Amino acid sequence: MKRRGESLENIQANSFDVCVIGGGATGSGCALDSQLRGMTTVLLEGADFASGASSAATKIIHGGVRYLEEAVRRLDPAQYQVVNRALHERIHMLHNGPFLSRPMEFLIPCAGWFSVAYMGFGMKLYEWIAGKDSLFPSRFLSKTKTLERMPGLSPNHLMGSIAYADGQFDDARYNMGLINTFVAASGEALNYARVVGFTKDASGKLQAAEVEDQWTNRRFTVRAQRFVNATGPAADTIRGLATPGIPTRMRLSKGAHLVLPLEVFPTRDALLIPKTDDGRVLFAVPWFDRLLIGTTEQEVTIHDELYLSKGDVEYLLHHINRYFKTTIRAEQIVSGFAGARPLVSAAGSHDTKNLARDHEVEVDARSGLISIMGGKWTTHRAMAEDAINAVQKSLGRAATPGVTLDHPLSGSSGYTPEYWQSLVRDYKLPEQTAGHLSQKFGANATKVLQLAKEDPALAAPIVTGFAPLRAEIAYCARNEMAITIEDVLMRRTGLQFYSWRAAISAAAPTAAILAKELGWSPEFERSSAEEYRRKITRLIELAGLSAEQLAAADSN
Ligand SMILES: Cc1cc2nc3c(=O)[nH]c(=O)nc-3n(C[C@H](O)[C@H](O)[C@H](O)COP(=O)(O)OP(=O)(O)OC[C@H]3O[C@@H](n4cnc5c(N)ncnc54)[C@H](O)[C@@H]3O)c2cc1C
């Protein structure tokens, strides 16, 4: 990827076929599809790439067990359509980003034979819908087998479990993978470029986007023939900028996760609780030696700040502890995160947990804005295909088929599941570091390691005892448009997801390398590190925890 300044210049100097607004999963998928179909495409992201819902997911590539249940119980074709689409998309997501995703077995604990029969039948149906794209067959596991696989599960009221397959992925890195692949196909992408208005031609059609550079506060215009609104939770804001007064469509549902050391519930499989007392789904999923527990569901607005609250912690622990042999305490949490699911309102539905996760493409006849709304991570590729079909139609061009179905993401070529071993052998890396680099960067890991070879200071870990290397900071500043400490620690290296305590320690070394790469003044370097530490400390406090508790829990 080019440096940000260079991209900014190119974007201002050119006019594009398509301008995609929003650099989450949906927008990045749209930009890639559009560029690969031969249309010159620019992607504008108002904050950092993947900084919205697309890095706050449960990180599961799934059809949606609950949506299937809703589809059957309510005979709801919309819910069925979501499950069907997602189950067929699942396999492509796994194939296109092999280093960022993997199949995973999920266990659903069952208390009696009725629940075994009910869930067993449901998962067979799930498999049947997936058809040839099924991952592996679901089956019943006895109580003994279930406890062998999940020794931390409470044996009380346990008859056994239904095991079924879905996928798991690294959402923030998958999002970066889409952007990197788009840019490698000669697309232009810019982060911290917020669309704040539009200019229109005499007939009212959008001609250019007014963009505010969030880094310099400077405004500029981006010209394109068509504009795709892929801003997820903010879709109504962009729709309103294009056509003031247009009725709103989006409903937002906050979901929060807490992160714990995997030792609290050692498992290689994920746990799915299909229904809590208040009718929600809970997951406990192993994630890079951590355990993610989520998620809550609470309706919010675009103005609400999103974070793991003390209430979320209490809710999640209260429900999950019913299934665990040893009670998990809040003090054991090492980090957490929250995001807002962008749902399109369906007539007659008021409860966000009953809104279909299907997507909708809206072509605004007045302004020509094409909005792609709703959906989920698993269906981002199909959503993008539908949106770009609509773009071609509105341009009056013959529809050309999308080519993203089997288009590998940057870093996939040359990657195999044993790739990490070559890093251990060729670069004398510890296994933990090699595993981390291959799972975050795929075959591009050698480019990161080349920087460490050229400057041995970059070969050290960012924080002693944790896998990410200092070379990743320089690599991401040069190649992935990382320009803040959070860009690096949260979305590029994942250290902030992994440990709030490590993230605080990482602030100063990250700022120092970014300062060198991006030409920051010593004062800016110091204040950036300080501001980032304050931000993480606040997240810890909002979750009802303290830095001292974290230090005790997180003894990596
Ligand atoms: C808690 C939670 C768990 C989830 N778990 C899963 C899961 O396990 N599997 C799954 O398939 N799905 C899951 N989802 C759903 C999935 O994460 C979302 O559907 C998906 O990420 C939405 O992507 P998006 O690109 O539409 O939105 P976002 O990722 O929010 O991206 C929209 C982008 O638009 C940008 N933007 C906003 N306004 C402007 C502007 N004016 N100018 C420029 N840019 C702008 C934002 O900064 C943002 O980056 C989950 C969602 C949540 C919240």
Side-chain angles (χ1 to χ4, degrees):
M1 201 184 289
K2 289 185 276 287
R3 294 281 187 147
R4 192 168 177 278
E6 200 188 327
S7 295
L8 185 56
E9 273 179 28
N10 286 350
I11 290 168
Q12 290 179 87
N14 286 296
S15 174
F16 296 85
D17 290 331
V18 183
C19 171
V20 178
I21 309 166
T26 311
S28 308
C30 287
L32 178 62
D33 189 320
S34 170
Q35 184 72 21
L36 290 179
R37 285 198 219 188
M39 292 185 281
T40 56
T41 307
V42 58
L43 174 74
L44 301 173
E45 162 53 52
D48 187 24
F49 304 123
S51 57
S54 298
S55 58
T58 313
K59 307 169 201 325
I60 296 171
I61 306 174
H62 63 156
V65 172
R66 192 185 62 215
Y67 313 136
L68 175 63
E69 192 185 11
E70 293 293 326
V72 173
R73 281 189 354 160
R74 294 162 183 251
L75 293 176
D76 181 343
Q79 297 279 14
Y80 175 81
Q81 176 60 9
V82 178
V83 180
N84 186 28
R85 274 261 201 159
L87 280 175
H88 293 290
E89 281 300 313
R90 199 175 55 168
I91 202 90
H92 300 290
M93 230 181 129
L94 288 164
H95 282 163
N96 293 342
F99 62 102
L100 296 164
S101 61
R102 60 212 66 90
M104 178 171 255
E105 261 200 314
F106 288 68
L107 305 193
I108 307 175
C110 299
W113 285 116
F114 173 75
S115 132
V116 169
Y118 185 79
M119 293 315 306
F121 172 75
M123 297 326 297
K124 283 292 166 210
L125 187 59
Y126 198 68
E127 249 169 85
W128 177 77
I129 297 170
K132 65 176 178 30
D133 294 333
S134 183
L135 295 175
F136 30 89
S138 62
R139 63 218 151 100
F140 171 70
L141 296 181
S142 66
K143 179 173 181 173
T144 312
K145 278 263 173 263
T146 303
L147 291 174
E148 267 170 34
R149 302 266 294 259
M150 277 184 185
L153 205 56
S154 167
N156 299 336
H157 313 294
L158 185 71
M159 162 80 69
S161 63
I162 298 295
Y164 74 98
D166 255 329
Q168 182 186 46
F169 73 117
D170 185 333
D171 53 359
R173 286 297 320 173
Y174 209 106
N175 200 146
M176 279 315 303
L178 289 167
I179 303 264
N180 290 337
T181 314
F182 164 65
V183 171
S186 304
E188 289 287 356
L190 193 68
N191 56 2
Y192 296 99
R194 179 161 294 275
V195 171
V196 292
F198 291 104
T199 51
K200 299 178 184 175
D201 65 15
S203 67
K205 296 280 188 265
L206 304 184
Q207 223 173 14
E210 297 292 329
V211 184
E212 192 176 81
D213 184 338
Q214 301 298 291
W215 204 236
T216 60
N217 292 331
R218 225 174 46 80
R219 287 206 176 189
F220 59 98
T221 56
V222 173
R223 285 165 294 139
Q225 292 194 52
R226 288 295 176 273
F227 291 84
V228 176
N229 170 17
T231 53
D236 281 336
T237 310
I238 299 295
R239 291 169 71 243
L241 290 177
T243 301
I246 193 168
T248 58
R249 296 291 311 279
M250 300 305 295
R251 301 278 299 277
L252 308 184
S253 163
K254 176 187 155 184
H257 292 84
L258 42 91
V259 182
L260 294 148
L262 191 54
E263 300 91 79
V264 304
F265 189 75
T267 175
R268 295 179 59 198
D269 308 304
L271 175 72
L272 165 65
I273 309 297
K275 199 166 224 162
T276 58
D277 298 345
D278 54 352
R280 295 166 204 271
V281 179
L282 269 195
F283 288 98
V285 188
W287 170 250
F288 291 107
D289 297 335
R290 296 302 205 209
L291 186 74
L292 299 187
I293 296 181
T295 167
T296 55
E297 205 144 334
Q298 178 195 354
E299 184 150 12
V300 289
T301 71
I302 190 74
H303 307 293
D304 289 316
E305 200 188 348
L306 297 167
Y307 54 85
L308 174 74
S309 68
K310 190 166 183 276
D312 295 326
V313 169
E314 286 166 0
Y315 174 89
L316 291 170
L317 290 183
H318 171 73
H319 286 280
I320 206 74
N321 273 331
R322 296 176 179 196
Y323 296 86
F324 283 10
K325 197 160 67 185
T326 312
T327 302
I328 294 179
R329 289 165 290 108
E331 304 85 79
Q332 292 172 287
I333 293 168
V334 293
S335 79
F337 56 92
R341 299 177 186 88
L343 309 173
V344 197
S345 54
S349 191
H350 298 292
D351 188 348
T352 53
K353 68 176 184 281
N354 290 330
L355 285 176
R357 263 57 167 173
D358 207 358
H359 64 269
E360 191 177 318
V361 178
E362 174 193 77
V363 182
D364 178 11
R366 285 153 288 187
S367 69
L369 180 73
I370 294 160
S371 294
I372 169 80
M373 300 173 285
K376 54 187 198 167
W377 236 119
T378 310
T379 53
H380 76 280
R381 198 209 60 81
M383 293 166 68
E385 203 164 81
D386 289 352
I388 302 307
N389 285 344
V391 168
Q392 286 191 320
K393 194 169 168 202
S394 88
L395 283 168
R397 296 188 185 171
T400 51
V403 294
T404 51
L405 206 57
D406 296 308
H407 193 82
L409 294 190
S410 168
S412 302
S413 172
Y415 173 84
T416 64
E418 295 76 39
Y419 175 76
W420 65 274
Q421 293 171 3
S422 69
L423 300 181
V424 172
R425 196 182 53 239
D426 300 345
Y427 293 87
K428 311 281 174 279
L429 289 183
E431 288 187 4
Q432 186 200 20
T433 312
H436 160 81
L437 283 173
S438 66
Q439 287 188 323
K440 294 281 175 193
F441 297 92
N444 290 330
T446 52
K447 296 181 187 163
V448 176
L449 290 166
Q450 186 55 34
L451 299 184
K453 235 179 179 175
E454 288 161 15
D455 178 358
L458 296 178
I462 304 175
V463 178
T464 308
F466 292 84
L469 298 181
R470 293 177 185 219
E472 291 171 53
I473 306 169
Y475 178 83
C476 294
R478 290 181 206 178
N479 300 287
E480 295 190 346
M481 229 176 255
I483 55 171
T484 72
I485 298 173
E486 188 180 285
D487 295 349
V488 171
L489 297 181
M490 184 143 167
R491 292 169 286 275
R492 307 300 189 285
T493 66
L495 194 61
Q496 184 183 317
F497 282 117
Y498 196 80
S499 162
W500 276 333
R501 182 177 71 91
I504 289 175
S505 306
T510 307
I513 295 169
L514 286 180
K516 205 167 150 196
E517 292 293 327
L518 305 172
W520 291 355
S521 68
E523 176 49 28
F524 191 70
E525 175 189 330
R526 196 197 53 73
S527 63
S528 293
E530 186 48 43
E531 194 185 313
Y532 179 77
R533 277 191 294 266
R534 265 204 306 274
K535 187 169 180 177
I536 302 297
T537 307
R538 183 163 174 269
L539 288 178
I540 295 168
E541 287 166 3
L542 288 168
L545 305 167
S546 72
E548 293 72 42
Q549 283 171 336
L550 281 192
D554 189 1
S555 55
N556 190 300

